[in-house]
Amino acid sequence: MAENTDLSLVQDIIRAAGGHASSLHELTERHQAADVARVLVDEICSRCPPPVNEEPVLIEVVLRTADERRSHWLSAVKDAPVRDVPRGEGFVAMRIEYELADLVRELFGPSREHHTGVRETGLFPYAGSDAADQIAPYFLAAQQATATVLAGCTSAKPDLNELTSRYLTPKWGSLHWFTPHYDRHFRPYRDEEVRVLEIGIGGYKHPEWGGGSLRMWKHFFHRGLIHGLDIVDKSHADEQRITTLIGDQNDPDCLAEIAEKYGPFDIVIDDGSHINEHVRTSFQALFPHVRNGGLYVIEDLWTAYWPGFGGSEDPERSGATSIGLVKSLIDSLQHEELPPEQGRTPSYADRHVTGLHVYHNLAFIEKGANAEGGIPPWIPRDFDSLVAASSGGAA
Ligand SMILES: C[S@@+](CC[C@H](N)C(=O)[O-])C[C@H]1O[C@@H](n2cnc3c(N)ncnc32)[C@H](O)[C@@H]1O
């Protein structure tokens, strides 16, 4: 399992960002400003959209504390990601200056859609009064690169469809049409310090492919820690706030170990092998490690009908498939309404499935305490008796 050395620092920053201004003050006393700044700049680079400026420029990001001013130089040019680089010889097109604590809150605090008055800016900060000719070729690039970097300096709600093509994850636009459903069900968690586990990092046996969906979740859950599990080593996808894990989703012991170490999870997404047995094993092993109020998601339910994945073409024989699991969870949700003479001992799923949202090829399972109590035994179980009792004022 890959270890992310900055994880405790990042967690500390996220926590302080959600607290009072005094928490931010204490944060800067607990840690070196340089270390906090490094985390922030890494985060900005990972959130920036691809630059569109043809002319390469540097954007200077200045972070201020009471004692010091620290500059980072972000290189922006079309066809390359925004990067933190040495000052070098690049042309500095804009200076963007923040109080360190303000930028901590912008990036890691509860999302803010209102962004004026949090920064200072200076166009061509090192150009003298006689530099008009030198500046001219960079004017358009300055505006474009600044817009790119500022888009990375916020936690404004991103468009998931755009993120799927930016980070190359196939959750929208070809075989899968999942992002509107994800947006609907994940949005309420955006401001929380969520722990997300996605089974299936992508790219199968190719050692350098995959990780797109982890990057998308990292961007969407700007206060979250994202974990990816794959049977293949995908440590190339490790980033600040992304931890990749190696393991088999059909091995309950491995899943239990992961959950002990990195859970409980707010959200688990199964986008792994899609072999029906694996989907069911993972649900049994990991659903208990989803916190109450969290979600368990299963993608690509079509394999329930593919014998090559252990599915069944006959919906009447879906017992051992992923769809069979989902169908059984409807009975779990309703288990308190089953007649006691059936002698059902409530299963873990019976006691903890509180909602189901099933879309084409995608299911969201809500976790909580499913214990509202069944309809009481004194309420008549046949329609005519109910009407008679109601007419007499009993119900
Ligand atoms: C569909 S891809 C994941 C795509 C990725 N979630 C995305 O949206 O970009 C499925 C991944 O599951 C992995 N996988 C296959 N069998 C597995 C198993 N038994 N346990 C864990 N991961 C497995 C594969 O190596 C592959 O990378």
Side-chain angles (χ1 to χ4, degrees):
M1 290 173 188
E3 289 299 335
N4 187 336
T5 48
D6 269 333
L7 207 53
S8 60
L9 171 61
V10 175
Q11 279 184 290
D12 203 15
I13 293 173
I14 290 172
R15 203 143 296 157
H20 186 258
S22 59
S23 310
L24 288 167
H25 180 68
E26 286 157 19
L27 176 80
T28 50
E29 288 183 341
R30 266 198 306 282
H31 301 285
Q32 299 284 337
D35 292 335
V36 176
R38 188 164 36 77
V39 169
L40 301 186
V41 171
D42 187 300
E43 191 69 30
I44 292 171
C45 292
S46 78
R47 290 188 199 182
C48 283
V52 292
N53 52 299
E54 307 270 356
E55 200 63 51
V57 289
L58 296 181
I59 304 293
E60 180 182 11
V61 175
V62 179
L63 299 175
R64 268 191 333 251
T65 60
D67 310 321
E68 58 179 311
R69 286 174 93 252
R70 177 173 301 278
S71 285
H72 284 259
W73 313 94
L74 301 192
S75 146
V77 64
K78 193 173 178 182
D79 296 330
V82 170
R83 285 177 308 124
D84 185 11
V85 297
R87 168 71 175 86
E89 295 302 310
F91 192 81
V92 183
M94 181 68 80
R95 173 187 290 143
I96 303 173
E97 188 159 339
Y98 284 93
E99 286 287 342
L100 186 78
D102 285 343
L103 186 58
V104 167
R105 207 191 282 285
E106 284 296 299
L107 290 172
F108 291 119
S111 46
R112 297 182 357 146
E113 306 294 330
H114 178 69
H115 292 283
T116 56
V118 288
R119 69 181 84 87
E120 297 169 26
T121 46
L123 183 60
F124 302 120
Y126 298 100
S129 54
D130 56 351
D133 288 347
Q134 194 194 359
I135 286 169
Y138 295 105
F139 213 81
L140 179 60
Q143 185 191 346
Q144 292 174 316
T146 302
T148 298
V149 171
L150 286 181
C153 291
T154 81
S155 55
K157 184 178 167 299
D159 176 341
L160 268 182
N161 291 348
E162 191 268 315
L163 294 189
T164 60
S165 55
R166 188 191 299 183
Y167 297 122
L168 297 178
T169 166
K171 293 200 191 295
W172 171 253
S174 56
L175 296 175
H176 312 80
W177 301 97
F178 295 160
T179 42
H181 308 308
Y182 275 127
D183 192 70
R184 175 181 174 190
H185 290 283
F186 284 2
R187 200 179 325 159
Y189 300 85
R190 265 200 83 231
D191 280 342
E192 296 183 24
E193 292 179 51
V194 287
R195 291 185 193 188
V196 178
L197 171 65
E198 180 163 22
I199 305 170
I201 295 176
Y204 293 88
K205 290 187 176 166
H206 196 293
E208 284 163 22
W209 288 2
S213 55
L214 301 183
R215 287 192 276 276
M216 178 170 87
W217 300 135
K218 173 186 170 185
H219 196 138
F220 188 79
F221 296 114
H222 64 283
R223 314 189 67 216
L225 300 183
I226 313 300
H227 308 81
L229 169 68
D230 206 288
I231 201 153
V232 177
D233 181 354
K234 298 285 176 182
S235 50
H236 71 88
D238 282 323
E239 284 182 19
Q240 182 167 285
R241 298 201 292 118
I242 293 180
T243 305
T244 63
L245 311 162
I246 306 170
D248 180 355
Q249 74 168 118
N250 202 33
D251 176 351
D253 293 337
C254 164
L255 299 179
E257 194 188 319
I258 285 170
E260 282 304 319
K261 185 160 181 191
Y262 299 98
F265 299 108
D266 301 86
I267 291 174
V268 173
I269 304 160
D270 183 349
D271 186 23
S273 71
H274 303 301
I275 293 172
N276 285 272
E277 181 198 343
H278 295 190
V279 173
R280 297 173 67 97
T281 303
S282 298
F283 179 78
Q284 298 304 338
L286 290 174
F287 190 58
H289 297 281
V290 174
R291 67 140 164 111
N292 278 359
L295 291 174
Y296 193 100
V297 186
I298 306 175
E299 287 194 7
D300 296 7
L301 291 168
W302 64 67
T303 61
Y305 307 103
W306 288 3
F309 282 69
S312 170
E313 289 171 348
D314 178 0
E316 299 300 318
R317 297 159 62 95
S318 63
T321 70
S322 55
I323 285 285
L325 168 68
V326 172
K327 287 179 185 173
S328 77
L329 296 181
I330 299 176
D331 288 330
S332 287
L333 190 58
Q334 293 296 116
H335 81 97
E336 289 181 314
E337 309 309 337
L338 294 173
E341 52 274 21
Q342 283 208 355
R344 178 176 176 122
T345 307
S347 66
Y348 189 86
D350 288 351
R351 287 181 282 115
H352 293 287
V353 171
T354 55
L356 276 168
H357 304 262
V358 185
Y359 302 92
H360 183 213
N361 290 325
L362 184 68
F364 292 79
I365 300 145
E366 292 180 354
K367 166 90 182 273
N370 184 30
E372 290 175 343
I375 300 302
W378 48 264
I379 293 193
R381 260 39 181 180
D382 69 274
F383 182 73
D384 290 342
S385 308
L386 178 70
V387 171
S390 300
S391 306

